[in-house]
């Protein structure tokens, strides 16, 4: 683990129950700072995709977890269209260790403890990160990685997402 | 008086939704894939040459059947009829797939009486007594039409999609709310519960008004009634098919039409 990014939120740190160094899989997502008149934090889903592009499991879903004057935050989960269609719609949310509040622009790390991936067979997978923003766009970044030994992989978005880094530590 | 005449003309136009074959019947949902706890969907329905473009006639919604995910029937809310489109809302309180259909079944007959061509329109029961004894060249036809669309809140299910086995209907092989640009959906066309084979199915994407090429596609159903559509673009898609058959041996002919709307997401 490199220098802890300053923008790492308290929530993300709390979510990482195990020390980051011992984690088997971590996904770092840059939420870009966008200069727009009416900025709302994006909804973001992070999931593991099988080689056939089916959803293996959701790792993180960041959405508005409360109700406001405009409605329940769950009303817009479907705007993460790809994630929703591939399996988000079959999930019960909130889900322990998966759902969380929306994140401010900056670098956020999803750390998946070993125990949660013990039934993931060794092989090639893809980390998919999808962001959808109110009055904004939608973008998916896919980063292929290998499960079963240490490796790192990188990808990058161009509009709604910045760099995505996948780190498998063992 | 003027108002009455206009009303009568409108009623006549609406009474025969399928009579004007040139015009296509369509039902356009405001959304088809929804999440959360506040889901309402608005629907527009009309008949026009350019699908989903309300510029010809509103649809009479007397045969509206809204099937909830558990198979129960729901009532439309906020119904209204405009000049060119009818509209209503449905609140989605259950998770799953809803089928929203405007269905009509009827009976018509062409006949001649004293050298004059006449037409009967009504029910099959009425037909037995409504045709004069001196009528000749009686050509009776059973008519059935279905104009429908599908919407899903949360996880899709198939309960509402079960065939009614009446008229022409579309049965999913691929779920109707699972259509995505770049992918292929497969559906099955049934006529009175039996596979409708070798039927031309027309697929028209919305927004024809804003492009020069209508980009319409026609496919034929296979022996088992199935057909596939490769979605080359996102948007609402109208799926139209009709089956006409001549009557024989005293049996009436058939005129069944289907008008479905599938939303393809990017």
């Amino acid at each position: 683990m490199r220098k802890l990014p300053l923008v790492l939120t308290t929530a993300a740190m709390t979510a990482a129950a195990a020390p980051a160094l011992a984690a088997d899989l971590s996904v770092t997502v840059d939420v870009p700072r966008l200069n727009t008149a009416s900025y709302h934090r994006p909804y973001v889903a992070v999931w593991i995709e099988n080689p056939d592009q089916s959803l293996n499991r959701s790792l993180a879903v960041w959405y508005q977890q409360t109700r406001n004057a405009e409605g329940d935050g769950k009303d817009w989960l479907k705007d993460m269209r790809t994630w929703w269609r591939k399996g988000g719609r079959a999930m019960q949310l909130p889900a322990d260790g998966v759902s969380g509040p929306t994140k401010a622009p900056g670098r956020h790390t999803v750390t998946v403890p070993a125990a949660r991936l013990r039934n993931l067979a060794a092989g090639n997978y893809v980390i998919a990160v999808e962001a959808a923003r109110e009055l904004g766009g939608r973008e998916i970044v896919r980063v292929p990685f290998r499960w079963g030994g240490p490796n790192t992989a990188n990808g990058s978005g161009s509009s709604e997402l910045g760099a995505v880094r996948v780190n498998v530590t063992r | 008086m003027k108002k009455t005449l206009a009303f009568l003309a409108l009623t006549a136009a609406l009474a025969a939704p399928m009579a004007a074959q040139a015009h296509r019947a369509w039902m356009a949902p405001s959304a088809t894939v929804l999440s959360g706890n506040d889901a309402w969907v608005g629907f527009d329905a009309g008949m026009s040459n350019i699908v989903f473009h309300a510029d010809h006639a509103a649809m009479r919604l007397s045969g509206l059947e809204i099937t909830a995910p558990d198979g129960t029937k729901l009532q439309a809310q906020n119904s209204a009829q405009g000049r060119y489109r009818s509209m209503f809302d449905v609140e989605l309180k259950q998770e799953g797939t809803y089928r929203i259909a405007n269905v009509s079944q009827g009976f018509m007959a062409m006949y001649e009486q004293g050298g004059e061509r006449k037409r009967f329109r009504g029910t099959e029961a009425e037909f037995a007594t409504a045709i004069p004894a001196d009528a000749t060249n009686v050509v009776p036809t059973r008519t059935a039409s279905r104009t429908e669309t599908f919407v899903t809140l949360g996880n899709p299910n198939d309960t509402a999609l079960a065939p009614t086995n009446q008229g022409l209907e579309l049965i999913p092989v691929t779920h109707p709310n699972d259509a995505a640009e770049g992918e292929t959906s497969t559906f099955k066309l049934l006529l009175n519960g039996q596979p409708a084979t070798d039927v031309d199915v027309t697929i028209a994407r919305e927004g024809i008004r804003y492009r020069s090429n209508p980009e319409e596609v026609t496919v034929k159903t296979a022996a088992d009634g199935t057909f596939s559509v490769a979605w080359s673009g996102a948007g609402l898609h109208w799926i139209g098919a009709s089956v006409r058959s001549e009557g024989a041996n005293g049996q009436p002919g058939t005129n069944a039409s289907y008008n479905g709307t599938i939303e393809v997401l990017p």
Side-chain angles (χ1 to χ4, degrees), chain B residues 27 43 45 59-65 76 79-81 86-88 102:
Chain B
M27 187 183 285
F43 298 83
M59 188 183 294
R60 194 174 47 126
L61 295 171
S62 54
L64 198 58
E65 286 179 10
S79 300
Q81 186 174 300
S86 301
M87 56 221 103
F88 59 95
N102 193 34

Side-chain angles (χ1 to χ4, degrees), chain B residues 147-213:
Chain B
T147 303
E148 71 180 359
T149 190
F150 310 91
V151 303
T152 295
L153 173 66
N155 215 21
N157 74 339
D158 289 337
T159 307
L161 309 180
T164 64
N165 299 331
Q166 286 190 313
L168 201 53
E169 52 189 338
L170 180 122
I171 300 304
V173 176
T174 317
H175 194 282
N177 294 135
D178 249 349
E181 187 177 359
E183 298 195 7
T184 297
S185 291
T186 302
F187 306 110
K188 188 174 194 172
L189 210 55
L190 297 183
L191 178 62
N192 300 327
Q194 299 300 313
T197 63
D198 209 30
V199 174
D200 280 331
V201 180
T202 303
I203 296 106
R205 185 164 66 92
E206 70 171 325
I208 295 165
R209 195 178 163 211
Y210 303 112
R211 58 181 187 262
S212 305
N213 185 348

Side-chain angles (χ1 to χ4, degrees), chain B:
Chain B
M1 184 60 195
K2 199 178 165 194
K3 205 170 181 180
T4 316
L5 278 177
F7 176 72
L8 284 174
L10 183 64
T11 316
L14 298 174
M18 294 307 115
Q21 284 299 324
H23 291 103
R24 293 170 167 178
W26 46 264
M27 187 183 285
S30 60
T32 61
V33 174
L34 298 106
S35 62
N37 303 310
D38 312 288
W40 284 77
V41 181
F43 298 83
D44 287 340
M47 266 97 54
S48 57
N49 282 328
I50 297 180
V51 293
F52 311 123
H53 175 48
D55 69 347
H56 177 65
M59 188 183 294
R60 194 174 47 126
L61 295 171
S62 54
L64 198 58
E65 286 179 10
I66 304 167
T67 311
D70 64 359
T72 56
K73 301 290 184 206
L74 300 179
Q75 292 297 314
Q77 300 188 56
N78 305 329
S79 300
Q81 186 174 300
R83 173 74 187 173
Y84 290 148
R85 70 200 160 99
S86 301
M87 56 221 103
F88 59 95
D89 291 334
V90 175
E91 184 178 12
L92 313 185
K93 290 182 174 170
Q94 285 175 36
E95 277 223 351
T97 300
Y98 296 70
R99 185 187 202 181
I100 300 92
N102 193 34
V103 184
S104 78
Q105 263 120 34
F107 203 85
M108 62 169 287
M110 305 295 287
Y111 61 93
E112 284 172 31
Q113 188 182 22
E116 207 180 323
R117 281 182 70 78
K118 292 188 173 175
R119 187 172 70 174
F120 159 82
R121 192 180 283 276
T123 66
E124 194 162 353
E126 290 163 2
F127 167 71
T129 53
I131 303 293
D134 59 344
T136 55
N137 292 335
V138 181
V139 182
T141 306
R142 277 197 192 102
T143 60
S145 81
R146 169 176 285 273
T147 303
E148 71 180 359
T149 190
F150 310 91
V151 303
T152 295
L153 173 66
N155 215 21
N157 74 339
D158 289 337
T159 307
L161 309 180
T164 64
N165 299 331
Q166 286 190 313
L168 201 53
E169 52 189 338
L170 180 122
I171 300 304
V173 176
T174 317
H175 194 282
N177 294 135
D178 249 349
E181 187 177 359
E183 298 195 7
T184 297
S185 291
T186 302
F187 306 110
K188 188 174 194 172
L189 210 55
L190 297 183
L191 178 62
N192 300 327
Q194 299 300 313
T197 63
D198 209 30
V199 174
D200 280 331
V201 180
T202 303
I203 296 106
R205 185 164 66 92
E206 70 171 325
I208 295 165
R209 195 178 163 211
Y210 303 112
R211 58 181 187 262
S212 305
N213 185 348
E215 297 175 15
E216 208 165 280
V217 175
T218 303
V219 295
K220 256 192 199 317
T221 57
D224 60 355
T226 58
F227 65 97
S228 293
V229 189
W231 307 113
S232 57
L236 292 181
H237 286 70
W238 178 84
I239 295 185
S242 66
V243 174
R244 284 163 176 267
S245 63
E246 300 287 325
N249 304 324
Q251 284 297 304
T254 299
N255 185 0
S257 62
Y258 180 83
N259 309 284
T261 301
I262 302 287
E263 187 182 33
V264 179
L265 293 175

Side-chain angles (χ1 to χ4, degrees), chain A residues 67 71-72 74-79 81-82 84-85 89-90 92 138, chain B residues 33-38 95 154-156 177-180 183 265-266:
Chain A
R67 174 177 284 277
D72 183 351
K74 286 183 186 173
D75 295 355
W76 306 289
L77 285 170
K78 45 94 181 159
D79 291 340
R81 283 182 179 138
T82 303
W84 184 251
R85 178 170 177 260
R89 64 193 183 187
Q92 289 293 325
R138 181 179 73 104
Chain B
V33 174
L34 298 106
S35 62
N37 303 310
D38 312 288
E95 277 223 351
N155 215 21
N177 294 135
D178 249 349
E183 298 195 7
L265 293 175

